[in-house]
């Protein structure tokens, strides 16, 4: 089959990894590169015309499938145009459910196939809202590129990969610095009074740097923090948290043990090798006891890497898309368990 991978998201490694894995199993792949930006649909005629031109290129290439990484790029009439040209349309929603009101709710039912990146609570939310059946497909990584180097020299004890700017994320800085004195932050932050922030890393720098720490931190994205922002809608805060972002998948592939802190709807089935603390007092204790045990760190590292290779690798996502296209997996036929955890048994 011929796949056309349309647009990109900020985590470009996700896009390139899927391209490589689809090619690996025999598909032809065309990747558009970046087409649009942001979470809102284009409204200016010049922008819509530019995307129409990109669609002309898609149709001219005559792919069997278009997989859209950025749901806000295409308007309903543009999706209809692709389908009328005989192209199967797929969309992935990596910002579930934050973009539901401004984007996903208006577009997801126009596609042939929808893939989510969500917790069970959010999957149920979509079902109760009457949307078409979808399949959960959490973030993935190329584990051939993200390699684990055992017993390498360490740069430090604890690391967090992610930004701390903007209304939703700016409180991260104080929270992380309060966890332990020996923490390093990689990303963009408004200020750095404690001197914990290092550079914003490129993809190659992430691969060669983050694995040189002993323990990583994951702070779930709490949906109630979007109150009084442009993303808020009735019921968003009740949908809990998102606790398996791209950083956790990258941590795992690099063999880095991960501690997730204060996740109200934490589902250990999504990432069994991770540590979990109910609150910050428990997190501080877990950090201290874990760092004090090299044997435990080694076991956690091996478990993380093994889980990434088995369940979080791009190969499993390519296999899923292949199965959906061939009709051997249909979203409407999946049980609740399968819909939520299908990525665990696709290979």
């Amino acid at each position: 089959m011929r796949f056309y991978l349309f647009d990109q998201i900020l985590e470009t490694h996700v896009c390139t990894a899927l391209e490589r894995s689809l090619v690996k199993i025999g598909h032809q792949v065309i990747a558009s590169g970046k087409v649009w930006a942001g979470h809102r649909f284009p409204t200016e005629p010049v922008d819509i015309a530019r995307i129409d031109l990109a669609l002309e290129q898609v149709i001219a290439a005559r792919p069997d499938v278009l997989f859209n990484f950025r749901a806000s790029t295409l308007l309903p009439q543009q999706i209809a145009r692709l389908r009328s040209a005989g192209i199967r349309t797929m969309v992935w929603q990596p910002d579930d459910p934050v973009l539901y009101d401004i984007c996903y709710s208006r577009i997801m039912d126009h596609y042939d196939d929808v893939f989510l990146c969500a917790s069970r609570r959010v999957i149920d939310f979509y079902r109760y809202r009457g949307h078409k059946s979808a399949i959960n497909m959490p973030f993935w990584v190329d584990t051939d590129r993200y390699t684990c180097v055992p017993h390498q020299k360490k740069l430090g004890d604890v690391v967090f990969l992610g930004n701390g700017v903007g209304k939703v994320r700016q409180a991260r800085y104080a929270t992380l610095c309060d966890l332990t004195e020996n923490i390093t932050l990689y990303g963009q932050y408004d200020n750095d009074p404690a001197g914990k922030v290092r550079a914003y890393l490129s993809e190659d720098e992430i691969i060669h740097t983050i694995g040189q720490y002993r323990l990583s931190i994951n702070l779930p994205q709490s949906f109630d923090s979007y109150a009084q922002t442009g993303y808020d809608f009735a019921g968003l805060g009740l949908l809990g948290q998102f606790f398996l972002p791209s950083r956790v998948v990258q941590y795992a592939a690099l063999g880095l043990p991960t501690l997730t802190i204060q996740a109200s709807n934490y589902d250990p089935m999504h990432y069994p090798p991770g540590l979990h603390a109910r609150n910050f007092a428990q997190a501080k204790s877990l950090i201290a006891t874990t760092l004090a045990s090299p044997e435990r760190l080694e076991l956690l590292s091996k478990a993380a890497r093994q889980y990434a290779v088995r369940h979080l690798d791009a190969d499993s996502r390519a296999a899923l898309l292949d199965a959906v296209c061939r009709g051997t997996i249909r979203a409407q036929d999946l049980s609740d368990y399968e819909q939520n955890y299908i990525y665990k048994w696709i290979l």
Side-chain angles (χ1 to χ4, degrees), residues 236-250:
L236 175 59
L238 300 176
L239 295 176
Q241 298 166 303
F242 178 57
F243 44 82
L244 194 60
S246 179
R247 76 172 62 87
V248 174
V249 179
Q250 291 168 301

Side-chain angles (χ1 to χ4, degrees), residues 260-290:
T260 294
I261 304 171
Q262 210 175 33
S264 60
N265 61 316
Y266 185 75
D267 185 345
M269 279 293 292
H270 276 292
Y271 187 57
L275 299 172
H276 172 234
R278 294 184 301 273
N279 52 53
F280 289 97
Q282 185 184 29
K284 291 180 180 181
S285 175
L286 263 175
I287 289 171
T289 56
T290 303

Side-chain angles (χ1 to χ4, degrees), residues 153-194:
K153 183 179 179 180
K154 301 301 182 182
L155 289 174
D157 285 338
V158 184
V159 67
F160 177 80
L161 175 64
N163 298 322
V165 295
K167 182 179 184 298
V168 175
R169 296 181 176 88
Q170 62 187 3
R172 282 178 174 175
Y173 181 85
T175 298
L176 290 163
C177 291
D178 187 53
L179 280 175
T180 174
E181 181 68 24
N182 301 315
I183 191 168
T184 302
L185 314 179
Y186 288 95
Q188 296 176 341
Y189 291 79
D190 290 327
N191 50 64
D192 182 25

Side-chain angles (χ1 to χ4, degrees), residues 118-125 127 136 243 265 267 270 335-337 339-341:
S119 66
R120 178 63 178 272
R121 192 179 300 182
V122 174
I123 293 171
D124 288 342
F125 168 80
R127 182 183 295 116
N136 197 31
F243 44 82
N265 61 316
D267 185 345
H270 276 292
S335 68
D336 288 349
Y337 178 88
Q339 191 176 48
N340 198 14
Y341 301 115

Side-chain angles (χ1 to χ4, degrees), residues 67 90-94 96 113-117 134-137 320-321 324:
F67 183 94
M90 297 179 166
V91 66
W92 183 49
Q93 300 180 176
D96 287 314
D113 306 287
V114 179
F115 298 91
L116 309 178
C117 188
I135 298 175
N136 197 31
M137 191 167 76
L320 173 58
L321 298 188
V324 170

